[in-house]
Amino acid sequence: MSEAERIDGPLEGHCLCGTVTVTITGVHKEIDICHCTMCQRWGGTMYAGIECDGFVLNGEDHISTYDSSDWAERAFCSRCGSNLWYKFKPTGARTFLAGLFELPGGLPIKHQIFIDEKPDWFDIAQDSSRKTGAQIIAEAQAAGFTFE
């Protein structure tokens, strides 16, 4: 379990049309940002995700998943197209799209990853850890994960 502080109580969120609802518990008080080109194509720009210790999904008949690589699964609502989550397949760990939930203000950014793939037409004002794609892959490999 992460050392991050947790938000009190569960948070309930939903896709744009409301068909898929997500209740998350043990919600980490920080946002993960990914600038990789896959996230850009998936959502138009960066992916902002929130980690949690547990979740309950409703409307599962309307959830579609896509294996975007050997190690990643992305999910979306098949009715309205809203992005739902990113899952790191080797561990099963997910981050849910932060925009699904009404989050409290002032959450810090945990880190920005694949910063070397970020478009130059925007910047995030909040100071946070920034890692290149090569750094993230090296960290994952050092933890025993393989990528082909």
Side-chain angles (χ1 to χ4, degrees):
M1 188 179 296
S2 168
E3 301 290 326
E5 290 184 48
R6 304 299 196 268
I7 294 171
D8 292 332
L11 291 179
E12 295 190 20
H14 58 84
C15 64
L16 186 61
C17 70
T19 300
V20 176
T21 61
V22 183
T23 302
I24 55 177
T25 57
V27 182
H28 298 206
K29 283 187 173 181
E30 56 193 11
I31 303 294
D32 294 328
I33 303 290
C34 182
H35 296 287
C36 79
T37 55
M38 280 193 261
C39 283
Q40 291 175 46
R41 286 188 182 92
W42 186 38
T45 187
M46 67 184 188
Y47 172 75
I50 190 149
E51 296 178 58
C52 62
D53 298 331
F55 62 90
V56 175
L57 301 169
N58 287 299
E60 292 180 73
D61 292 347
H62 293 280
I63 296 174
S64 293
T65 59
Y66 173 68
D67 291 331
S68 58
S69 68
D70 289 341
W71 65 87
E73 172 191 276
R74 296 163 193 268
F76 59 94
C77 172
S78 62
R79 184 167 179 224
C80 68
S82 292
N83 296 334
L84 301 171
W85 71 73
Y86 168 90
K87 180 168 92 174
F88 185 59
K89 293 190 308 187
T91 64
R94 301 175 200 229
T95 60
F96 287 89
L97 180 70
L100 298 174
F101 308 95
E102 289 188 31
L103 298 171
L107 293 179
I109 295 172
K110 175 181 178 181
H111 55 208
Q112 296 182 58
I113 62 172
F114 290 89
I115 195 73
D116 52 319
E117 297 180 22
K118 182 187 82 58
D120 63 0
W121 44 263
F122 80 93
D123 289 306
I124 294 176
Q126 190 181 113
D127 190 31
S128 60
S129 170
R130 297 166 191 238
K131 300 176 183 178
T132 66
Q135 289 170 313
I136 290 298
I137 298 296
E139 286 179 8
Q141 288 173 328
F145 299 106
T146 59
F147 303 91
E148 296 178 23

